Every structure is written in structure tokens, then in C-alpha cells.
């Protein structure tokens, strides 16, 4: 078997990227689709559940799929500087792929609202990280404006190549299952990913690579649910920082995708998100809180009796790795027990 070449090389015939652009890659993609029968029996009996573990991409989130495509195209077009606004994962991915391509990378993050592992990644990969006294939405407005004034490649998901890369996860799911699942559930923040999945499923269907299309279930956090409320949210609040977004750049397209698929976008509470986040970890799959929102949404719909259990397949997209946000765990864990280096003390403690 030839080694995995990364998503740009593997799916190039399906991607609208310059055919001659040498791929800037860290061999992202080809992430595991983990069957979860025990979890399914508990939260969605009668469904066949798979977890697409996108946290296993090189920088720890699905953003690497979009970034390999965006940076491949930008480098080919001669860009030397990239910029993005980020709740964290886009920053880490932009930093890694920009450095890989020898480009300067500048990222804007909302001050105090980004998980520690994401900032650490962006800094380590060599980005210039700038915190703004404002929200992600403010940061996005700023980078859109400055990149229209200066020769800077904007690599947020308003960049069409990001979606080209991200849609490859839909291809992988169809290739693994032999067709699209009945349901695909995922978290929705800036709404680029759900838009990209729908593009991918439709394209694979049209190309005869999947006989069917899935229904999309997008989940927003209740405190940051503009697509459910039908209006922008000025001060979005949620424990799921990756989807703490009040003005999704791809909101219209996301709503269209959900509707066209016969699915919907719903809101889930932070408690539901955290409960599913803990439950996934007990399955051996450690994700960041936002990543649990899609499956929390599916479980919510099952509890409400809005999903008919008829042996259908469900794929939950787990967007980012749990190690990105260690504080989410430690701030909720009890004090760690400390004992002398003495086996009797250990025996006493565990007895
Ligand atoms: C970016 C991100 C999301 C949201 O994706 P959108 O394309 O902005 O909707 C969800 N989870 C994680 C971990 C992310 O990094």
C-alpha cells in the first residue's frame, strides 16, 4: 500500500485547486471512523454510530484540511503573508502550514477566550499572535478589511479553498462506509465546515461515488446560536469556545445546506455539550468541548422523539482534540490526591 499523501494529492481530481500547485501538506486527513456501539445503545438505540475523529489531524483539528488547501493555493499564487481571525484552531493550523510553506503568519484572537493548547500551538509553529480586546466576530471584520487593503492572503473560511479542503472529510466517510451515512451531525460556529461537508457529499453523489446523500444536523451552543435564533448574537457565550461566534460568515449557506439535506440546525445547552464531552472521553475519545456539540444535538433530538431508530447510520464529526483545552478538564476535576512515596499509603488509599 502506498503511503497516505495528504488530502490535496489524494483527492486532487475533486478539488478546485490549481492542478500544478505543489501540495503544502503535513499528511492531514485519513482520520479514523470509530464505531461506537456501546455509546449508540445508550444515547441513540437502534442507530449505528461512528465517530469521525478529526482531532487526529496534524495540528489537532479539522482546520488542517482547509489549511493545506488554502496554503497550497496561496503559495502557488505567490503569497508571502497569511492572516486569519481565530477562536484558536484556525490559528494553529494557519501557523503550521504557513511555516511549512515559508510564509509569515499573523493571527488575531479574542483576548482571554482561546484555549491554552491552541495559543501554544500557534506560537510554537511560529505565528505572530495578536490578542484583541473584542470578540472573534470583531477579529474577523478586522482581518477581512486589512487583507483587502494589503497583499495578505486571508485564510479564514471565507477563503473558498478552505472549503475545498474541508469537503474531503465527506469523501473519506463515503469511501469508508461505501455510501453516505443517513445522518451527519456536527458543531456549527462560523458555519464553514457544515457548508463544506454538504459540498463534498453532493459532489461525491454526482460523481457516482455515493448512492445517497445524508441529512445534516448542525448544532450551535445555546448561548451562541444565531442560526437558530434567526439573528446575530452580540455577546456569544459558551463553554465551547471554538463555536463561540455570533455572526457566522457562512450562515446563509449553512442554513441552505441543512434544509436542502432534509436536516436542520438546532441549539444545545452547555450542560448537554459537557455531558457528551465527558461521555465521549469515557469511550476513550478525548475531544474539546465544542467537538461534542454535534453528537449532543443528535442525542437531544433522539430524546425529543424526533429521530426514528430504524438501523440508520449516524456519523458524528469530532472536530478537535481534547488536549487543546486542558483547563476544561482540570477546572472541573477535584483536587489530585497526593501521598508519600510509600506503598502502604497507596494501599491505604485504594483499599
Ligand atoms: C472551527 C471549529 C468548529 C466550527 O467550525 P465552523 O466551520 O466554524 O462552523 C467546531 N469545532 C472545532 C473544534 C473547531 O475548531
Amino acid at each position: 500500500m502506498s503511503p497516505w499523501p495528504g488530502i490535496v494529492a489524494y483527492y486532487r481530481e475533486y478539488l478546485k485547486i490549481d492542478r500544478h500547485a505543489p501540495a503544502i501538506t503535513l499528511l492531514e486527513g485519513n482520520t479514523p471512523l470509530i464505531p461506537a456501539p456501546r455509546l449508540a445503545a445508550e444515547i441513540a438505540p437502534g442507530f449505528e454510530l461512528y465517530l469521525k475523529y478529526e482531532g487526529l489531524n496534524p495540528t489537532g483539528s479539522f482546520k488542517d484540511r482547509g489549511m493545506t488547501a488554502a496554503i497550497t493555493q496561496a503559495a502557488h499564487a505567490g503569497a508571502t503573508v497569511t492572516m486569519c481571525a481565530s477562536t484558536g484552531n484556525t490559528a494553529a493550523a494557519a501557523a503550521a502550514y504557513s511555516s511549512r510553506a515559508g510564509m509569515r503568519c499573523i493571527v488575531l484572537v479574542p483576548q482571554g477566550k482561546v484555549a491554552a493548547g491552541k495559543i501554544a500551538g500557534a506560537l510554537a509553529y511560529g505565528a505572530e499572535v495578536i490578542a484583541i480586546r473584542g470578540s472573534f466576530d470583531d477579529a474577523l471584520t478586522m482581518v477581512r478589511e486589512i487583507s483587502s487593503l494589503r497583499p495578505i492572503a486571508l485564510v479564514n473560511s471565507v477563503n473558498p479553498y478552505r472549503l475545498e479542503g474541508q469537503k474531503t472529510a465527506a469523501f473519506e466517510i463515503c469511501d469508508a462506509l461505501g455510501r453516505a451515512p443517513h445522518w451527519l451531525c456536527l458543531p456549527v460556529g462560523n458555519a464553514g465546515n457544515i457548508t463544506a461537508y454538504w459540498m463534498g457529499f453532493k459532489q461525491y453523489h454526482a460523481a457516482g461515488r455515493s448512492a445517497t446523500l445524508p441529512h445534516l444536523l448542525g448544532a450551535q451552543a445555546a448561548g451562541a446560536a444565531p442560526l437558530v435564533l434567526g439573528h446575530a448574537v452580540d455577546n456569544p457565550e459558551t463553554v465551547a469556545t471554538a463555536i463561540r461566534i455570533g455572526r457566522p460568515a457562512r450562515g446563509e449557506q449553512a442554513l441552505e445546506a441543512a434544509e436542502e439535506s432534509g436536516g436542520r440546525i438546532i441549539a444545545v445547552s452547555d450542560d448537554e455539550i459537557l455531558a457528551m464531552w465527558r461521555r465521549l472521553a469515557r469511550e476513550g475519545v478525548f475531544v474539546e468541548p465544542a467537538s461534542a456539540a454535534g453528537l449532543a444535538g443528535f442525542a437531544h433530538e433522539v430524546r425529543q422523539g424526533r429521530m426514528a431508530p430504524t438501523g440508520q447510520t449516524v456519523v458524528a464529526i469530532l472536530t478537535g482534540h481534547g488536549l487543546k483545552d486542558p483547563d476544561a478538564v482540570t477546572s472541573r476535576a477535584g483536587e489530585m490526591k497526593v501521598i508519600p512515596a510509600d506503598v502502604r499509603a497507596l494501599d491505604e488509599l485504594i483499599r
Side-chain angles (χ1 to χ4, degrees), residues 22-91:
I24 307 293
T25 181
L26 291 162
L27 309 188
E28 58 298 310
N30 197 20
T31 54
L33 192 61
I34 306 170
R38 195 171 59 123
L39 180 53
E42 213 175 287
I43 62 162
F47 286 93
E48 199 177 316
L49 172 65
Y50 297 88
L51 311 172
K52 180 75 169 160
Y53 195 14
E54 288 287 279
L56 292 190
N57 277 297
T59 80
S61 84
F62 75 85
K63 301 295 200 303
D64 292 343
R65 293 180 187 275
M67 213 50 79
T68 182
I71 300 291
T72 291
Q73 185 66 32
H76 188 61
T80 57
V81 187
T82 64
M83 193 183 271
C84 65
S86 178
T87 58
N89 283 327
T90 299

Side-chain angles (χ1 to χ4, degrees), residues 94-110:
Y97 285 83
S98 298
S99 285
R100 183 95 167 147
M103 293 193 268
R104 179 181 175 199
C105 175
I106 304 164
V107 303
L108 258 63
V109 296

Side-chain angles (χ1 to χ4, degrees), residues 61-63 87 89-90 118 157 162 166 187-194 242-243 245 288 290-291 319-321:
S61 84
F62 75 85
K63 301 295 200 303
T87 58
N89 283 327
T90 299
K118 302 179 184 179
S157 59
R162 283 276 308 276
Q166 285 171 207
V188 175
N190 213 24
N193 211 30
I194 190 170
I243 53 173
I245 293 174
E288 65 171 279
S291 300
T319 44
H321 203 289

Side-chain angles (χ1 to χ4, degrees), residues 2-24:
S2 58
W4 175 256
I7 59 128
V8 169
Y10 194 80
Y11 289 112
R12 195 183 280 263
E13 64 184 296
Y14 295 98
L15 306 183
K16 290 191 205 84
I17 295 179
D18 196 306
R19 284 195 315 126
H20 306 292
I24 307 293

Side-chain angles (χ1 to χ4, degrees), residues 3 103 123 151 181 205 281 310 314:
M103 293 193 268
L123 291 170
H205 180 58
T310 53
V314 188

Side-chain angles (χ1 to χ4, degrees), residues 88 91-92 107 109-110 114-125 129 131 324:
V107 303
V109 296
V114 178
K118 302 179 184 179
I119 294 284
L123 291 170
Y125 296 125
V129 180
K324 292 267 191 163

Side-chain angles (χ1 to χ4, degrees), residues 241-261:
T241 51
I243 53 173
R244 189 173 171 280
I245 293 174
R247 290 187 163 72
R250 299 272 183 183
E252 293 290 314
Q253 280 165 282
L255 287 168
E256 264 171 48
E259 188 180 327
E260 207 181 308
S261 77

